């Protein structure tokens, strides 16, 4: 009879996991230390992406709430030196008649300062401006009153004032009902506004009614800023018509701005700085991969007897390679899972402390874990090949 060629037994998935995790089970402390570098790298990457995504999500929610359909028209620079540009008295009415405009309001700069009392020096303004405000302004900027109420027809004729959020803090006014010195008399604070991200200039202003500003503060009745809200689909058309409507003869003298552009740019640039931190996380991950490779090389050296014995009992080189490659993948995967949990937890804690919506992109989780498997494969490839090339005789003899 001819001699039959012997073929090595095939290892099933369960057998591969068993032999691949054997070295890990015998040295748990080494496994923890080796996986720690991978875990820190993955956690850093996921936390950086998660915190950036959470911050961006907050900005997008704020934009959705405030809207991107508000435009502001202000006097620009005149073509003739020394000539000031002024908006017409009926600017709000002109803007309201533009097709697509839903709401319009205005403010007008008033000469004078607001102080806590007449005993405070006039030069100590605290950076607070005095502005006449139309009754429809609050709806246009989508503001909210934190204390008291907004200017109405009754308030607009009497010495009443609404303070912006920052103005109230600088004046030390915590609630409506108190009085401040404005011009040459006391004005009663009838309201304090909540923060206005799209109109920070109003946050730092003391707002009085249009008629009261003309009656008590010498206001000339000309607005210095017109705010309007249009439908989402007509923003571009309204923007092109604002300047000609306010100054048909010299539309170039009118400056039209979009207050939401700053928030949109901030949202777009939110991940710029995160790229640097993401790169640092990648470096940490590579260092962790070097640690895994070093651990696997040491493991091969320490387990030469095991390798030689298995080879003598018929294990093929491919099975030895699979054994150590599986061990490397398990080691990296364990670190990757720990890193995902740590990164997601860090993102959640940071978001909770800062009041952000906790967001961990799935692509970051999947990409972070997949990168650990790639690193595990690369890190375990050389040790696995080295283990497979060991001669059974020399391995048993050396031991």
């Amino acid at each position: 009879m001819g001699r039959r060629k012997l073929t090595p037994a095939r290892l099933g998935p369960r057998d591969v996991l068993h032999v691949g995790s054997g070295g890990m089970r015998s040295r748990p402390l080494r496994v923890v230390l080796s996986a720690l570098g991978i875990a820190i790298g993955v956690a850093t990457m996921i936390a950086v992406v998660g915190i950036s995504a959470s911050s961006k999500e907050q900005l997008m929610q704020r934009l959705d709430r405030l809207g991107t359909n508000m435009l502001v028209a202000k006097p620009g620079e005149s073509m003739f030196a020394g000539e000031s540009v002024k908006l017409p008295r009926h600017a709000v009415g002109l803007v309201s008649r533009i097709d697509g405009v839903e709401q319009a309001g205005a403010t007008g700069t008033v000469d004078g300062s607001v102080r806590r009392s007449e005993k405070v020096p006039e030069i100590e303004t605290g950076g607070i401006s005095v502005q006449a405000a139309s009754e429809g302004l609050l709806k246009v900027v989508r503001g909210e009153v934190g204390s008291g109420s907004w200017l109405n027809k009754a308030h607009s004729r009497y010495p009443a004032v609404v303070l912006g959020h920052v103005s109230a803090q600088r004046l030390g006014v915590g609630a409506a009902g108190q009085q401040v010195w404005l011009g040459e008399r006391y004005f009663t604070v009838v309201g304090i506004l909540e923060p206005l991200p799209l109109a920070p200039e109003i946050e730092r202003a003391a707002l009085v009614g249009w008629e009261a500003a003309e009656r008590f503060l010498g206001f000339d009745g000309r607005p210095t800023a017109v705010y309007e809200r249009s439908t989402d689909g007509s923003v571009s058309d309204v923007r092109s018509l604002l300047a000609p409507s306010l100054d048909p003869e010299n539309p170039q003298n009118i400056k039209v701005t979009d207050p939401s552009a700053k928030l949109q740019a901030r949202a777009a640039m939110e991940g710029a700085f995160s790229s640097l931190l993401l790169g640092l996380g990648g470096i940490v991950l590579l260092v962790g991969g070097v640690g895994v490779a070093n651990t696997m090389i040491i493991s091969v050296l320490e387990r030469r007897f095991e390798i030689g014995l298995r080879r003598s009992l018929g294990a093929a080189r491919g099975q030895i390679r699979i054994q150590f490659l599986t061990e490397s993948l398990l080691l990296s995967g364990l670190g990757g899972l720990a890193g995902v949990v740590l990164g997601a937890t860090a993102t959640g804690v940071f978001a909770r402390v800062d009041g952000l919506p906790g967001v961990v992109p799935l692509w970051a989780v999947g990409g972070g874990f997949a990168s650990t498997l790639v690193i595990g494969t690369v890190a375990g490839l050389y040790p696995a090949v080295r283990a497979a090339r060991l001669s059974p005789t020399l391995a048993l003899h050396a031991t």
Side-chain angles (χ1 to χ4, degrees), residues 243-268:
S245 298
L246 292 173
D247 194 344
E249 295 182 356
N250 298 292
Q252 70 278 0
N253 292 343
I254 306 299
K255 181 181 179 182
V256 180
T257 59
D258 179 2
S260 66
K262 293 182 179 179
L263 286 179
Q264 294 180 57
R266 182 180 170 188

Side-chain angles (χ1 to χ4, degrees), residues 224-352:
T224 52
V226 179
Y227 300 78
E228 68 81 27
R229 286 275 182 182
S230 55
T231 59
D232 293 333
S234 60
V235 174
S236 179
D237 293 335
V238 171
R239 186 186 186 101
S240 64
L241 293 173
L242 268 178
S245 298
L246 292 173
D247 194 344
E249 295 182 356
N250 298 292
Q252 70 278 0
N253 292 343
I254 306 299
K255 181 181 179 182
V256 180
T257 59
D258 179 2
S260 66
K262 293 182 179 179
L263 286 179
Q264 294 180 57
R266 182 180 170 188
M269 293 297 294
E270 188 63 38
F273 182 70
S274 300
S275 299
L276 175 61
L277 298 178
L278 194 61
L280 294 177
I283 293 174
V284 175
L285 190 59
L286 289 177
V287 172
V290 173
V292 171
N294 185 57
T295 299
M296 293 305 303
I297 291 174
I298 294 175
S299 179
V300 170
L301 295 175
E302 290 179 345
R303 297 162 63 187
R304 285 180 297 178
F305 180 79
E306 175 192 337
I307 296 170
L309 184 59
R310 290 196 62 207
R311 292 282 283 123
S312 299
L313 295 176
R317 288 184 176 182
Q319 294 174 345
I320 300 298
R321 283 196 296 267
I322 290 176
Q323 173 186 349
F324 283 92
L325 194 57
T326 300
E327 183 174 338
S328 178
L329 284 171
L330 290 174
L331 188 58
S332 299
L334 181 63
L337 288 175
V340 168
V341 174
L342 289 175
T345 302
T347 301
V349 172
F350 183 88
R352 186 177 183 85

Side-chain angles (χ1 to χ4, degrees), residues 87-339:
L87 297 178
R89 292 176 179 270
H90 52 292
V92 173
L94 292 174
V95 171
S96 299
R97 287 195 288 269
I98 299 176
D99 289 339
V101 173
E102 296 180 326
Q103 299 168 334
T107 59
T109 302
V110 178
D111 293 332
S113 62
V114 56
R115 291 163 283 164
R116 193 66 180 86
S117 71
E118 76 275 17
K119 297 181 180 180
V120 178
E122 188 174 354
I123 60 174
E124 296 184 9
T125 63
I128 303 172
S129 64
V130 181
Q131 301 281 338
S134 63
E135 296 175 16
L137 178 65
L138 189 65
K139 290 183 178 180
V140 179
V141 299
R142 293 185 181 175
E144 296 182 358
V145 180
S147 175
S149 61
W150 176 244
L151 298 168
N152 53 36
K153 291 184 178 180
H155 294 150
S156 297
R157 293 183 295 173
Y158 296 100
V161 60
V162 172
L163 298 178
H165 178 70
V166 177
S167 300
Q169 291 180 337
R170 293 178 179 177
L171 291 172
V173 178
Q178 303 182 45
Q179 290 188 321
V180 294
W181 184 259
L182 206 165
E184 297 298 328
R185 63 184 302 159
Y186 277 103
F187 275 61
T188 301
V189 178
V190 296
I192 298 176
L193 300 179
E194 294 288 347
L196 296 171
L198 292 185
E201 67 279 4
I202 295 179
E203 290 185 338
R204 295 163 176 79
L207 306 168
V208 297
W210 211 266
E211 187 176 342
E214 293 177 326
R215 180 179 178 185
F216 300 110
L217 302 174
F219 177 50
D220 62 3
R222 289 182 176 272
T224 52
V226 179
Y227 300 78
E228 68 81 27
R229 286 275 182 182
S230 55
T231 59
D232 293 333
S234 60
V235 174
S236 179
D237 293 335
V238 171
R239 186 186 186 101
S240 64
L241 293 173
L242 268 178
S245 298
L246 292 173
D247 194 344
E249 295 182 356
N250 298 292
Q252 70 278 0
N253 292 343
I254 306 299
K255 181 181 179 182
V256 180
T257 59
D258 179 2
S260 66
K262 293 182 179 179
L263 286 179
Q264 294 180 57
R266 182 180 170 188
M269 293 297 294
E270 188 63 38
F273 182 70
S274 300
S275 299
L276 175 61
L277 298 178
L278 194 61
L280 294 177
I283 293 174
V284 175
L285 190 59
L286 289 177
V287 172
V290 173
V292 171
N294 185 57
T295 299
M296 293 305 303
I297 291 174
I298 294 175
S299 179
V300 170
L301 295 175
E302 290 179 345
R303 297 162 63 187
R304 285 180 297 178
F305 180 79
E306 175 192 337
I307 296 170
L309 184 59
R310 290 196 62 207
R311 292 282 283 123
S312 299
L313 295 176
R317 288 184 176 182
Q319 294 174 345
I320 300 298
R321 283 196 296 267
I322 290 176
Q323 173 186 349
F324 283 92
L325 194 57
T326 300
E327 183 174 338
S328 178
L329 284 171
L330 290 174
L331 188 58
S332 299
L334 181 63
L337 288 175

